[in-house]
Amino acid sequence: MKILKTAIALICLSLPAYAAVPIQKVTSPGGITAWLVEEHDIPFTALEIEFRGGTSLDAEGKRGATNLMAAMLEEGTGDMDAQAFAAARDTLAADIDFSSNKDMVSVSARFLTENRDQGADLLHSALVAPSFNESAITRIKAQIISGIRSSNQDPEHIARQAMASLVFGNHPYGSDDSGTEESVAALTADDLRDAHAAALARDRVYVAASGDITPEDLGKLLDRVLGDLPATGAPMPADTTLDDKGSTTVVDFPTPQSVVSFLQPGLDVQDPDFMAAYVVSEIVGGSRFTARLMDELRSKRGLTYGAYSNMVTMDHANFMSGHFASDNDKVAEAVQVTRDVWADVAENGVTQEELDAAKTYMTGAYPLRFDGNGPIASILVGMQVQGFDIDYPKTRNQLINALTLEDVNRVAKKLYNPDALRFVIAGQPEGMDQN
Amino acid sequence: MAYRLPALLVMGLSCGPAFGQDITDFTLDNGLQVVVIEDHRAPIVTDMVWYKTGSADEKAGESGVAHFLEHLMFQGTQKMAPGEFSATVSALGGSDNAFTSYDYTAYFQRVSADNLERMLTMEADRMENLDLSQPIVDNERQVILQERSQRVDSNPSSLFQEQLSAAQYLNSPYQSPVIGWRAEMEALSREDALDHYHTFYAPNNAILVVAGDVTPDGVRELATRHFGPLSPSTTIPPRERPQEPPQLAERRIVFKDARVAQPYVMRSYLAPERNAGDQKSAAALTVLAELLGGEPTNSVLAKSMQFGADAPAIYTMASYDGTSVDQTTFNIAAVPAEGTTIQEVENAMDATLQTFLKDGVDQTQLDRIKTQLRASDIYARDDADGLARMYGSALAVGLTVQDVKDWPQILQDVTADEVMAAAQSVLDKRQSVTGWLESDEVTQ
């Protein structure tokens, strides 16, 4: 699931800003920077904060600590317990959500203009001084363990997790960042304080805001919310390397429909060939019905409800991955068709017609993402995380339009490798050989 | 806290607020209702065509045909080839999709505002000129069967909730799932789909909602040009569906499946829906759902069941959506803590409800919920698509634009006494179905 989330984040920020939206860079008096789109029509502000590192900063033997720590941030601070915190937040009609994934701990907030300062104070307390109260830890652990048990019976999670384990092994990307029942049960308040110190620091924070706030007020808010965090946190995890050994793995699970996850090495988002690869990926595995996988598996053969693949750029790994679900008696054929699509792209690339259609789609879809304070703040923080320049939105469509068929097919033939494809199938597929 | 909530807990308050000032509505001569929601912050538009027909309007024995037709609406007209509709939208950088529910079927596109006319041209075309070939129909039947496998059969919680609905309704067509029962889906024919199409798809059984960077006059002109020439149908059947008889006896189901990792109890109570000019009971039930289980920390069920040393539950929830043609349900659920049986957690849930019915509403909590409902008016303005869905679904079940505009104030006016009266009337086990989802110990 976490891989999927990262994939979605990538798609959002790879279709970045509407050129007409002016993005300002704001630096607070205390030296914290943020990107801002001012929009005073509606009296609220959307705020997005990301801390790089995420659950991959879990200490040895403490799998699930960062995930639990992030979940605990709304469970009490100072003299407020969980119920008092929720009541304070709801009295302000503020939204404050904490979450985590393998690369980030994330905060997503909305504050009404009329009580924004109080909302900021509440967020500050939650981030800087969480209580990690014992009874709350017990309560949230029980929820997380329930979630782990459910995931372990979910064929989609089983397939994705088996793939992650196969590809990333002992790297944090290889294990479920919720932890195991045992690892979560063993976590203590001290472990959470360690995870908090490791993950939430000013040297790894990215901030974006959109809405009814001036640069001056945002500067003050940044210092108010984040100024008391420590300057530095834990060192970042190591990068991974992916091999190009293909494989097929079946994880036996009694369910009428198999879930298929597939993967091969990809490209870094800052690689000069990335944009060409991204366009090819849209042609092969995008959600349009004309995309190759969707057309071959669904429209032509009725083998699945939907088949997708995309470029995934995580902080320490780059790959292409895809997924679909297909009834047990049809999944072998669906896997073969996927291989055939991959082999055809590797050998023949894409057509001029496909490239033209993908270009008009991708450049036309570009402004449509910028349709509200919430989405704009999310896109802006994602751009910073991925290392894009603040002016990138103005050039992004030109980069796509400048790609020639020769460019994209050179990259397609270099990148797509049917022999490097790994498949994991969770279910009871008929007629499927493993290797 | 967005991590891994079980699916049952994600149903929240789905009746959002209305936002009055930039909403315009009118009706074309052929009966097409049009709603325009202005949002000029970005040059983007969402257009939606809502048909006042859903799975509850299907013929007996043809469950799933409304949803099957929804898929087939992308498969060609006399003017457009199969798949050309979506390909045209994406070539313009837009996105399109559709969804089917018990009471409506809706199609939508999201494009830059200057492409609106193209969208309306295509929507008007497929309102009248659907043209389906047999091979396309046969392939799409495989797709909806795969969709059922993915959404329902692969997920014991979905299967359980399907069984729960079937048990709740003795006579109402809400007893059948929107996607259909598999055996009936397998038998759906091209003729069945076209029959549903010709019966229900007409301008006087549809609502066009356009939200975004548009003006009412501009939309009126485009709608008149493209939908105006379509003939109204004179044979749309009245929505007089079989009604649910009074439920006199509590019903219970136990669903066991080897794939269940986390058991839970869920109960549905028959409950009234919103009606045009008469939304007070529904508003009270909406507030009641928020009070009982709308928030994971301070709601009545959470406070009573999830906190303390021997808390019997790890999650609780309550939900209600009154946007419905016929009688609907009010739902509550609880997920037992480790070492607690489903019977024990159900007992705790019942004890909590009894205490609530005796003690009444905590005024502070009620005030907080109303503050949030008021604020959601402001947040809703950030999401023109959401407003379009709110108006479309309300009008599709027979409410008026005025009803939608009145709804936020009706919610604000709900008193503690009205909430308690609604609770007394609805939270009666004799008109409920209680379901247990359990792990089947027999494994492979």
Side-chain angles (χ1 to χ4, degrees):
Chain A
M1 287 310 286
K2 297 297 164 62
I3 292 175
L4 179 65
K5 269 199 249 166
T6 311
I8 289 165
L10 171 77
I11 290 164
C12 293
L13 64 93
S14 292
L15 293 166
Y18 181 52
V21 174
I23 307 171
Q24 305 176 63
K25 186 173 178 179
V26 175
T27 303
S28 74
I32 299 166
T33 61
W35 291 6
L36 167 66
V37 170
E38 255 185 288
E39 159 57 68
H40 296 285
D41 277 4
I42 308 175
F44 83 97
T45 300
L47 181 70
E48 295 288 330
I49 304 172
E50 300 274 11
F51 294 92
R52 190 185 294 280
T55 59
S56 296
L57 296 175
D58 278 352
E60 186 74 33
K62 305 290 182 190
R63 200 56 171 145
T66 309
N67 177 62
L68 176 59
M69 180 276 292
M72 288 295 301
L73 294 175
E74 64 175 13
E75 297 296 327
T77 171
D79 57 4
M80 281 185 281
D81 64 10
Q83 290 174 345
F85 180 82
R89 180 197 61 209
D90 293 347
T91 301
L92 300 173
D95 284 342
I96 300 176
D97 293 312
F98 302 104
S99 60
S100 60
N101 63 34
K102 284 179 177 167
D103 285 338
M104 301 288 156
V105 171
S106 310
V107 183
S108 184
R110 296 193 296 190
F111 299 124
L112 297 177
T113 302
E114 65 186 55
N115 56 32
R116 188 176 61 220
D117 288 349
Q118 292 156 274
D121 285 343
L122 201 58
L123 176 55
H124 164 264
S125 303
L127 274 178
V128 173
S131 308
F132 299 134
N133 164 284
E134 286 296 344
S135 69
I137 292 175
T138 304
R139 189 161 43 80
I140 302 303
K141 271 186 183 177
Q143 294 179 340
I144 289 174
I145 287 171
S146 167
I148 291 169
R149 287 178 187 160
S150 296
S151 295
N152 291 342
Q153 291 286 89
D154 170 8
E156 188 175 321
H157 178 86
I158 292 168
R160 287 179 189 284
Q161 188 48 53
M163 177 66 85
S165 168
L166 181 70
V167 173
F168 298 114
N170 290 327
H171 188 276
Y173 286 176
S175 56
D176 184 344
D177 59 359
S178 294
T180 64
E181 286 187 42
E182 295 72 28
S183 75
V184 172
L187 293 171
T188 65
D190 280 341
D191 294 332
L192 300 186
R193 281 186 272 275
D194 290 345
H196 181 261
L200 304 187
R202 279 182 284 128
D203 63 348
R204 60 201 60 211
V205 71
Y206 302 85
V207 188
S210 179
D212 186 24
I213 190 167
T214 62
E216 295 70 32
D217 286 342
L218 178 59
K220 287 180 209 155
L221 182 140
L222 292 173
D223 287 344
R224 198 174 193 134
V225 171
L226 301 168
D228 292 337
L229 285 173
T232 59
M236 290 296 160
D239 287 348
T240 63
T241 46
L242 275 72
D243 62 41
D244 52 7
K245 291 181 200 149
S247 62
T248 303
T249 308
V250 174
V251 184
D252 183 75
F253 185 75
T255 178
Q257 191 182 49
S258 294
V259 176
V260 178
S261 178
F262 57 96
L263 181 149
Q264 71 137 77
L267 285 181
D268 190 274
V269 71
Q270 299 299 344
D271 188 292
D273 284 338
F274 182 83
M275 193 55 97
Y278 185 60
V279 173
V280 176
S281 174
E282 169 57 39
I283 292 168
V284 174
S287 60
R288 295 173 303 148
F289 286 118
T290 46
R292 291 263 184 113
L293 290 173
M294 198 67 131
D295 185 48
E296 295 292 338
L297 271 75
R298 174 175 160 149
S299 305
K300 286 193 182 143
R301 294 180 179 84
L303 295 172
T304 183
Y305 177 52
Y308 312 89
S309 67
N310 51 30
M311 312 276 299
V312 181
T313 60
M314 298 177 72
D315 278 354
H316 309 289
N318 302 302
F319 51 91
M320 295 197 286
S321 71
H323 61 99
F324 58 84
S326 194
D327 283 358
N328 286 330
D329 62 347
K330 296 191 164 157
V331 66
E333 181 187 354
V335 167
Q336 187 55 50
V337 173
T338 304
R339 280 190 190 287
D340 293 345
V341 165
W342 224 255
D344 184 63
V345 174
E347 192 180 335
N348 303 312
V350 302
T351 67
Q352 186 69 52
E353 191 185 356
E354 286 175 317
L355 175 61
D356 293 344
K359 280 183 178 179
T360 54
Y361 170 65
M362 295 170 77
T363 56
Y366 165 77
L368 304 190
R369 307 273 163 171
F370 288 70
D371 66 331
N373 293 330
I376 289 172
S378 293
I379 294 164
L380 260 51
V381 81
M383 286 175 54
Q384 294 174 72
V385 162
Q386 295 263 3
F388 285 104
D389 188 84
I390 200 166
D391 289 327
Y392 174 71
K394 295 177 187 162
T395 58
R396 182 264 189 194
N397 271 2
Q398 294 162 23
L399 293 174
I400 290 180
N401 281 327
L403 291 168
T404 65
L405 187 63
E406 200 182 349
D407 292 330
V408 298
N409 281 342
R410 174 182 56 77
V411 175
K413 289 171 189 177
K414 183 181 76 174
L415 189 61
Y416 282 70
N417 178 3
D419 297 330
L421 270 179
R422 290 186 185 273
F423 284 89
V424 173
I425 299 114
Q428 294 182 322
E430 295 172 17
M432 178 72 71
D433 295 327
Q434 299 197 54
N435 60 58
Chain B
M1 225 172 53
Y3 65 96
R4 298 210 174 111
L5 285 174
L8 80 138
L9 295 157
V10 218
M11 331 169 162
L13 174 77
S14 55
C15 314
F19 169 57
Q21 52 269 47
D22 295 326
I23 314 286
T24 312
D25 70 293
F26 50 89
T27 303
L28 300 189
D29 291 344
N30 61 12
L32 179 74
Q33 286 178 275
V34 183
V35 179
V36 182
I37 301 163
E38 291 181 72
D39 178 354
H40 298 288
R41 293 177 299 158
I44 302 172
V45 67
T46 295
D47 67 288
M48 311 188 79
V49 175
W50 296 72
Y51 292 95
K52 296 185 202 174
T53 181
S55 64
D57 299 295
E58 294 162 343
K59 286 183 188 163
E62 292 183 5
S63 65
V65 73
H67 170 253
F68 189 32
L69 174 62
E70 178 228 295
H71 277 235
L72 294 170
M73 285 286 283
F74 294 86
Q75 298 301 338
T77 68
Q78 286 143 25
K79 290 180 190 161
M80 302 199 78
E84 190 181 347
F85 193 110
S86 295
T88 305
V89 177
S90 62
L92 298 168
S95 56
D96 70 322
N97 215 326
F99 51 88
T100 307
S101 185
Y102 297 104
D103 294 323
Y104 45 75
T105 311
Y107 302 82
F108 63 93
Q109 298 88 44
R110 218 173 114 62
V111 291
S112 59
D114 54 348
N115 286 313
L116 175 62
E117 179 161 19
R118 187 73 188 274
M119 299 302 109
L120 299 188
T121 310
M122 295 197 300
E123 281 293 7
D125 175 44
R126 70 175 169 180
M127 189 178 283
E128 198 165 74
N129 301 316
L130 189 64
D131 187 19
L132 300 173
S133 77
Q134 191 63 50
I136 288 276
V137 171
D138 292 340
N139 186 76
E140 206 61 33
R141 190 184 308 103
Q142 294 305 312
V143 172
I144 59 168
L145 287 166
Q146 292 290 334
E147 182 179 359
R148 188 185 154 92
S149 294
Q150 184 172 331
R151 289 187 192 273
V152 185
D153 300 323
S154 294
N155 184 340
S157 189
S158 300
L159 284 168
F160 166 63
Q161 292 184 30
E162 191 176 80
Q163 293 291 311
L164 198 73
S165 287
Q168 178 64 81
Y169 294 105
L170 291 175
N171 202 39
S172 162
Y174 292 160
Q175 64 188 200
S176 294
V178 173
I179 198 163
W181 301 113
R182 179 173 287 274
E184 293 184 357
M185 294 168 70
E186 285 169 344
L188 291 174
S189 69
R190 175 177 177 274
E191 288 65 36
D192 295 334
L194 287 173
D195 183 59
H196 190 84
Y197 176 70
H198 292 305
T199 304
F200 293 107
Y201 281 44
N204 51 328
N205 202 38
I207 303 133
L208 170 68
V209 185
V210 181
D213 189 18
V214 290
T215 63
D217 285 347
V219 172
R220 184 192 295 271
E221 191 193 321
L222 294 177
T224 305
R225 187 181 309 156
H226 297 291
F227 290 94
L230 303 182
S231 305
S233 166
T234 55
T235 56
I236 295 164
R239 273 186 144 172
E240 289 163 1
R241 302 166 178 160
Q243 293 296 298
E244 211 39 36
Q247 185 179 348
L248 305 176
E250 174 189 2
R251 293 193 281 276
R252 302 185 67 86
I253 64 168
V254 177
F255 184 86
K256 295 189 181 191
D257 190 303
R259 296 168 292 176
V260 173
Q262 177 62 71
Y264 63 85
V265 55
M266 181 171 232
R267 183 182 297 152
S268 62
Y269 298 90
L270 282 178
E273 73 284 5
R274 293 165 74 186
N275 286 305
D278 173 19
Q279 305 187 85
K280 280 189 82 166
S281 332
L285 288 170
T286 302
V287 172
L288 176 65
E290 285 295 297
L291 283 164
L292 287 181
E295 194 272 341
T297 313
N298 283 313
S299 63
V300 170
L301 290 169
K303 255 182 145 157
S304 155
M305 296 171 67
Q306 293 176 227
F307 288 81
D310 295 315
I314 59 169
Y315 290 112
T316 55
M317 73 104 198
S319 72
Y320 167 78
D321 180 359
T323 312
S324 174
V325 171
D326 291 314
Q327 200 172 21
T328 182
T329 58
F330 186 99
N331 306 305
I332 55 176
V335 180
E338 178 90 46
T340 303
T341 64
I342 305 192
Q343 183 66 61
E344 286 164 348
V345 84
E346 185 186 340
N347 292 346
M349 191 167 82
D350 279 326
T352 302
L353 293 178
Q354 287 313 312
T355 306
F356 174 76
L357 288 171
K358 184 160 60 69
D359 293 353
V361 171
D362 172 353
Q363 189 62 43
T364 316
Q365 192 200 357
L366 180 59
D367 291 345
R368 210 161 48 222
I369 284 166
K370 287 193 181 178
T371 300
Q372 287 183 285
L373 288 170
R374 260 197 310 275
S376 60
D377 273 344
I378 293 173
Y379 293 135
R381 289 169 55 190
D382 202 37
D383 180 12
D385 284 16
L387 289 171
R389 283 174 188 251
M390 191 170 70
Y391 275 88
S393 59
L395 268 59
V397 303
L399 298 167
T400 65
V401 168
Q402 194 57 46
D403 289 323
V404 182
K405 289 181 176 173
D406 291 343
W407 180 245
Q409 191 57 50
I410 295 174
L411 286 173
Q412 288 300 319
D413 292 344
V414 168
T415 66
D417 286 347
E418 287 167 347
V419 171
M420 292 317 295
Q424 296 286 358
S425 140
V426 167
L427 301 179
D428 176 350
K429 267 177 123 174
R430 287 170 301 180
Q431 51 195 21
S432 76
V433 179
T434 304
W436 289 7
L437 177 66
E438 288 190 286
S439 179
D440 193 341
E441 298 305 331
V442 182
T443 53
Q444 43 178 326

